[in-house]
Amino acid sequence: MNSKKLFWELTLKLETFTHTVPVPFAVYYAIITQKMETEKWMIFVGLCLFFATGIGILGTLWRYFMIRRLFRKIDKIKFPDDSSNIQYTFQDQDYAKKVKLYIFKYPLIEATFIVFRWFAGVIPIVTLYTYLVEYTPSVVRSGIFTIAMIPPISFVTYYFITENSLRRLFDLPQIRNIEIKPNEIPKFDYFKRIVLAFFSLAALPVSVLSYLLYSIVKGETMVEEPLIPIVIVSCIFIVPLIVCSYIVAVTVKQGISETSKSLNELAKGNFNVVVTPTSGDDFGQQAFYLNNIIQKLKGMYEEIKTLNEGLEEKVTARTEELNSTLQEVRKLKYQQDGDYFLTYLLLNPLTIKEIKSDLIHVDFLLKQKKNFEFKDKEYEIGGDLNVSHSIHLQNKKYLLFVNADAMGKSMQGAGGALVFGAVFQSIVQRTKNNSSFQAISPELWLRNSFQEMHRIFEAFDGTMLISLVMGLIEEETGLLYFINAEHPWPVLYRDGKASFIKSEVSYQKLGTLGAEAFSQVKIFQLLNGDVIIAGSDGKDDILHAGGPDEKDWEVNLDENFILRIIEQGKADLNRIFELIGRKGEVIDDLSLIRIGYSNEIRKINKVSSEAKLKFRKAKKLYSKGNFSESIDVLLDLIESEPNANERLQKDLSKLYYQIGNFKKAMEHMEIYLISHPEDDDFLYFASKLFKKTNQLPRAIELAEKIRIRSPKKVNYLVHLFHLYLKTGDRSQALEVLKDLELLQYPKEDLTILSDYLK
């Protein structure tokens, strides 16, 4: 295709349409709607012929130069050629793209120019006629109605005809391979096209008939029978309707044909087919989508073809490679399981249950999350640890227990448990073998042991943390001493009901940097038949079905869950583990310690009515200040009523203190504390008694014991302050003073105590 051929094709189609549809419309319309003299008619017709001819010639010349200019641009496009020394630059590529986009835009240019031609013809005709002849309203109205009805149909027809004629340009070798993006071409989809065509077709008869009826009513028409021009206008209207419908149908057919042709080639297996977009309509957009699909199918086809070539050899090679990798994995797995097994061998001896007691029964349950197999045997490792020992402190037998949980999973947790177990076992053996460590109170032993382990784990800079509950139970009395370091609270099972034994203070994990200083040991009196269960958070970390339909999995957040389980399982560890498993999946290491206390001697026996009368008598004598007589009554009561012995020892000690017989007071004090070591108020009295007899080390020992149990009792702290002051230990006295300041002790009293230090 060359410029001349395209020029004559476009000119023939466009000008033929213009002079067979719009011009006859305009001429006939002007004839029947004007009523003027012959001379004026001649001038009006002459102006119409002059401008119609001139504008037609001007439009033809304009089209000639525009098409010629277009082909000159096409001829300037360079071809990318690897064999040539001429480089194909980005500027060349950009120029070629602009030319191709110009071809897309040219139909709009042609359609816009025909609208301009009508305006350039009608407006001068009306203006010159008014200037040369006279102002005639019918002429002005006919000009306005002509512009309203002719340009729309001309715009639509010119656009479609030009677009169809330019389609072949996209097959030119200079244009075909130029890549453009879908968003770069001007879009004019079929919805807009059909709507515009409909309104342009409707504007033609509506405008003519409306003005014709108006002219008939005003008496400005040249016809006597109005029905005749109406029929003629209707017949003329059929021509643009047929032409416009034909052009739209041809355009749609061409788009469908191009798409069908490409799909047919694709169905034959030709993946080299390229769909060229030739318009800005929906088919032009589909061309881009089809090209993307074809390229993807081509890539998939090439990939499948490549895979099928030598598939058997590739499968064999891949199988050998996988077998080799599998052997390496098995080797590494065996080495890893060996490391796990070594850790298991080191960790297993640290789970110790070394007790000898007729009063306390201990059971362990330990289920670590990490399971592994080594030499056809299954093992498990994790960060949980259960330990129990029998130790002696101050000539009393205690059960020592600890339930610990090291931070981290599998090896990390096992490493923490290994370090903790080794350190804790060292402390226990040191206590068993060294009498000086057995001479301290259970409160001090727990505090010192906790602080020592905390300092060791601090050396790991927070990478190894341990939560735990650690306690001592005095066998004879059943008094429980324990501390909790960010661990689940121990549970008391008494008379078929489970409840938490909580403390005012819960310390941070062992090894936590910047953790608060140790301050309190919790005590709790066990009764005959009581059961204590301590466990890690694995007993609470249960994954179970939840949500409205119980289809979502969620982690248990109910802290009372374990209480109900213990009650249902009647504090039996195996039964508890079974019930937990029924509720959901355990997602962490699980460890439990069960401690059952049984001491029939600790039952409180009733006293006789006579003994109660004697006790009231002694109390009345005491209130009157007759301390000696009150003592005699109580001593007689001890001989006659053995069941009242324990309580009376306390009263006798205080009475002897009142009369100044400190030796006797200490004898009865020692007897009472053997059976009632939990009585903090009496410990305070005992400390004051030792101070009175100038036994300051014993007084300080008891005062420190109370301080550990009840760190917020200011009267205990003031007493301890004076003890340290009396021994000359000013640094310890200052520490006690700081504790009082933290407890907001009155400033006036603090000032007085501070003056003692000065």
Side-chain angles (χ1 to χ4, degrees), residues 488-494 497-501 531-535 539 562-563 566 593 595:
W489 295 112
V491 177
L492 170 68
Y493 181 73
R494 175 182 288 174
K497 296 293 182 181
S499 60
F500 292 115
I501 305 176
V531 175
I532 298 295
I533 293 180
K539 68 182 187 304
I562 190 62
L563 299 181
I566 291 174
I593 294 181
I595 303 170

Side-chain angles (χ1 to χ4, degrees), residues 52 79 95 150 182 307 336 362 378 452 494 549 598 618 636 647 739:
F79 288 92
Y95 175 79
I150 301 300
L307 289 173
Q336 184 185 55
V362 179
E378 291 187 355
E452 181 179 350
R494 175 182 288 174
D549 302 326
S598 177
D636 180 60
R647 169 65 187 275
D739 289 345

Side-chain angles (χ1 to χ4, degrees), residues 737 745-758:
L737 197 63
Y745 193 61
K747 291 185 178 180
E748 298 81 4
D749 296 334
L750 276 175
T751 304
I752 295 172
L753 295 178
S754 299
D755 291 339
Y756 287 142
L757 285 175
K758 297 177 183 178

Side-chain angles (χ1 to χ4, degrees), residues 686-749:
S687 179
K688 291 195 295 183
L689 181 58
F690 280 122
K691 179 184 177 184
K692 203 76 172 176
T693 58
N694 207 30
Q695 299 183 53
L696 297 180
R698 290 293 307 277
I700 290 174
E701 179 188 345
L702 293 181
E704 281 288 359
K705 180 182 289 192
I706 305 170
R707 181 188 183 186
I708 295 174
R709 293 184 186 181
S710 304
K712 296 183 180 180
K713 294 288 184 69
V714 293
N715 56 328
Y716 296 164
L717 292 175
V718 172
H719 170 67
L720 182 60
F721 172 82
H722 286 293
L723 286 174
Y724 279 125
L725 199 64
K726 195 169 184 179
T727 59
D729 195 341
R730 300 173 66 85
S731 62
Q732 288 294 335
L734 184 60
E735 290 297 323
V736 176
L737 197 63
K738 290 179 180 178
D739 289 345
L740 286 169
E741 187 176 0
L742 290 174
L743 294 173
Q744 298 181 346
Y745 193 61
K747 291 185 178 180
E748 298 81 4
D749 296 334

